[in-house]
């Protein structure tokens, strides 16, 4: 859990001065900072669970409205966004990086409405056949292959490691056409865990 005493003091204060901003990136290059009070009009983050009875995946969605009166903010699906909160010059990054999915411009007000998702949204693009799994393998091996194809670190928090060591000598019940997101959902249900 993130603990930041500067921000915690502000949250407990009757007069709060926590500011929000979004940072627009192309690759690893910071292209623009949009602060509240200048370009950032509105920001909201939704967390949506997907899964069945015993396991879930949590994908996060970012909705941002940017004021672009001069029409000089150029966003494409190649951009990513960091949602940031700060007190003075002390900023925290409590959310994962979001990847731009949709961009709409209001031609009257020149407001940009941007929808972006965390990396789990991209898990729908890949198939289980892309993972390169060769039987026999374990749930841990499938999980590691999913993390690898998405380019994210794999961290187990408060889980029984034995549940990920279940072996599939002839391979799991995949035909290869399932999305990586469906595979992650199956893993979460089999291990009774939540992934995010």
């Amino acid at each position: 859990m993130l603990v930041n005493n500067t921000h915690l003091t502000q949250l407990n204060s009757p007069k709060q001065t926590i500011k929000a901003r979004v940072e627009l990136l192309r690759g690893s290059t910071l292209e623009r900072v949009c602060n509240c009070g200048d370009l950032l009009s509105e920001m909201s983050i939704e967390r949506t669970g997907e899964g069945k009875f015993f396991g879930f995946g949590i994908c996060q969605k970012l909705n941002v409205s940017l004021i672009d009166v001069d029409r000089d903010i150029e966003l494409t699906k190649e951009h990513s966004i960091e949602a940031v909160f700060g007190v003075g010059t002390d900023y925290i990054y409590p959310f994962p990086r979001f990847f731009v999915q949709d961009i709409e411009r209001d031609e009257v007000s020149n407001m940009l409405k941007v929808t972006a998702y965390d990396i789990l949204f991209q898990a729908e693009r890949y198939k289980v056949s892309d993972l390169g799994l060769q039987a026999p393998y374990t749930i841990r091996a499938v999980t590691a292959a999913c993390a690898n194809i998405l380019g994210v670190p794999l961290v187990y928090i408060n889980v029984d490691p034995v549940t990920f060591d279940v072996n599939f000598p002839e391979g799991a019940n995949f035909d290869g056409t399932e999305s990586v997101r469906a595979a992650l959902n199956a893993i979460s249900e089999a291990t009774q865990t939540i992934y995010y």
Side-chain angles (χ1 to χ4, degrees):
M1 176 184 286
L2 293 173
V3 177
N4 183 300
N5 288 328
T6 304
H7 290 79
L8 186 58
T9 301
Q10 285 298 315
L11 285 173
N12 292 325
S13 171
K15 182 180 177 190
Q16 299 176 355
T17 56
I18 296 177
K19 305 267 183 176
R21 77 179 190 195
V22 294
E23 299 175 355
L24 309 179
L25 300 103
R26 185 185 299 250
S28 60
T29 305
L30 176 64
E31 287 192 347
R32 188 161 206 157
V33 175
C34 303
N35 292 299
C36 64
D38 58 19
L39 300 176
L40 179 60
S41 172
E42 184 179 349
M43 175 177 70
S44 67
I45 295 173
E46 300 172 23
R47 292 183 175 110
T48 306
E50 180 179 299
K52 294 186 181 175
F53 303 107
F54 302 110
F56 296 93
I58 308 295
C59 185
Q60 298 181 76
K61 174 183 176 183
L62 172 70
N63 294 305
V64 174
S65 295
L66 300 173
I67 302 166
D68 189 21
V69 175
D70 297 328
R71 299 175 75 92
D72 61 351
I73 299 175
E74 295 184 28
L75 275 176
T76 67
K77 289 189 177 183
E78 296 176 7
H79 283 86
S80 58
I81 301 175
E82 292 276 4
V84 185
F85 295 97
V87 175
T89 58
D90 184 19
Y91 288 94
I92 59 171
Y93 295 75
F95 303 102
R97 183 173 287 190
F98 294 93
F99 299 90
V100 174
Q101 185 66 30
D102 294 312
I103 307 159
E104 294 178 23
R105 179 181 293 279
D106 184 326
E107 296 298 335
V108 176
S109 67
N110 286 322
M111 187 77 72
L112 279 178
K113 293 190 184 277
V114 182
T115 303
Y117 295 88
D118 69 15
I119 195 71
L120 287 180
F121 189 78
Q122 296 181 18
E124 289 291 337
R125 296 180 184 175
Y126 302 103
K127 302 291 180 202
V128 170
S129 59
D130 298 330
L131 298 176
L133 297 169
Q134 297 289 330
Y137 52 78
T138 62
I139 293 177
R140 184 181 308 279
V142 178
T143 307
C146 291
N148 185 50
I149 202 165
L150 293 173
V152 297
L154 178 59
V155 179
Y156 298 96
I157 301 171
N158 297 328
V159 296
D160 183 359
V162 174
T163 60
F164 286 87
D165 292 331
V166 173
N167 190 31
F168 293 95
E170 297 177 21
N173 191 18
F174 295 123
D175 64 17
T177 61
E178 301 89 346
S179 70
V180 167
R181 183 74 191 265
L184 288 169
N185 289 343
I187 291 167
S188 70
E189 185 168 355
T191 60
Q192 298 182 11
T193 55
I194 298 170
Y195 68 93
Y196 55 94

